[in-house]
């Protein structure tokens, strides 16, 4: 299950962890976010130590939401080498996410 990440942990867990990260910006009432959760769990299980998967709650983490210009939920942002690599808005298919992951590992 993707770990919830806040401002205090974001630098260490996402930006300076030395690996590709996939972060979902979500909020609790988002139906599409709930539909995406099992997909992210499968991806996290498949890629294990190669990929960090985390979640940022847009309601409680307004500063991160604004910093990364998140306007809709869910928004997925891939991070690599401390910077945003790619932003996807809305639910995504598992095979499309895996393609992006494979290209960037």
């Amino acid at each position: 299950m993707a770990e919830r990440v806040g401002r205090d942990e974001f630098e260490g867990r996402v930006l300076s962890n030395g690996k590709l990260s996939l972060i979902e910006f979500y909020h609790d009432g988002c139906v599409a976010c709930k539909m995406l959760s099992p997909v992210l769990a499968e991806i996290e299980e498949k890629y294990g130590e190669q990929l960090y998967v985390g979640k940022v709650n847009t309601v409680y983490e307004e500063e991160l939401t604004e910093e990364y210009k998140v306007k809709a939920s869910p928004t997925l942002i891939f991070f690599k080498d401390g910077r945003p690599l790619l932003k996807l808005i809305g639910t995504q298919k598992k095979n499309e996410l895996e393609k992006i992951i494979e290209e960037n590992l």
Side-chain angles (χ1 to χ4, degrees):
M1 177 77 99
E3 173 182 45
R4 185 165 165 205
V5 184
R7 167 50 83 195
D8 294 340
E9 306 89 22
F10 201 80
E11 171 69 34
R13 299 238 169 90
V14 179
L15 301 178
S16 61
N17 67 13
K19 56 184 161 183
L20 183 65
S21 296
L22 172 55
I23 305 301
E24 176 194 15
F25 286 79
Y26 77 102
H27 66 85
D28 293 329
C30 171
V31 173
C33 300
K34 291 175 183 174
M35 292 170 48
L36 189 58
S37 286
V39 172
L40 294 179
E42 289 174 21
I43 285 175
E44 185 177 32
E45 185 177 317
K46 179 175 180 176
Y47 291 97
E49 295 298 314
Q50 296 176 293
L51 175 74
Y52 175 76
V53 180
K55 300 175 80 136
V56 172
N57 189 310
T58 58
V59 174
Y60 300 111
E61 300 297 336
E62 292 179 21
E63 189 176 326
L64 286 172
T65 301
E66 289 176 16
E67 181 176 346
Y68 293 105
K69 297 173 178 51
V70 173
K71 304 287 186 207
S73 293
T75 294
L76 298 173
I77 303 179
F78 284 90
F79 290 86
K80 189 172 185 179
D81 301 324
R83 296 175 311 188
L85 179 68
L86 177 68
K87 181 190 285 189
L88 304 168
I89 299 169
T91 56
Q92 304 296 317
K93 294 181 180 180
K94 181 181 168 190
N95 63 338
E96 292 297 324
L97 295 173
E98 289 175 333
K99 181 179 176 187
I100 295 166
I101 293 165
E102 293 292 335
E103 291 172 354
N104 289 285
L105 282 179

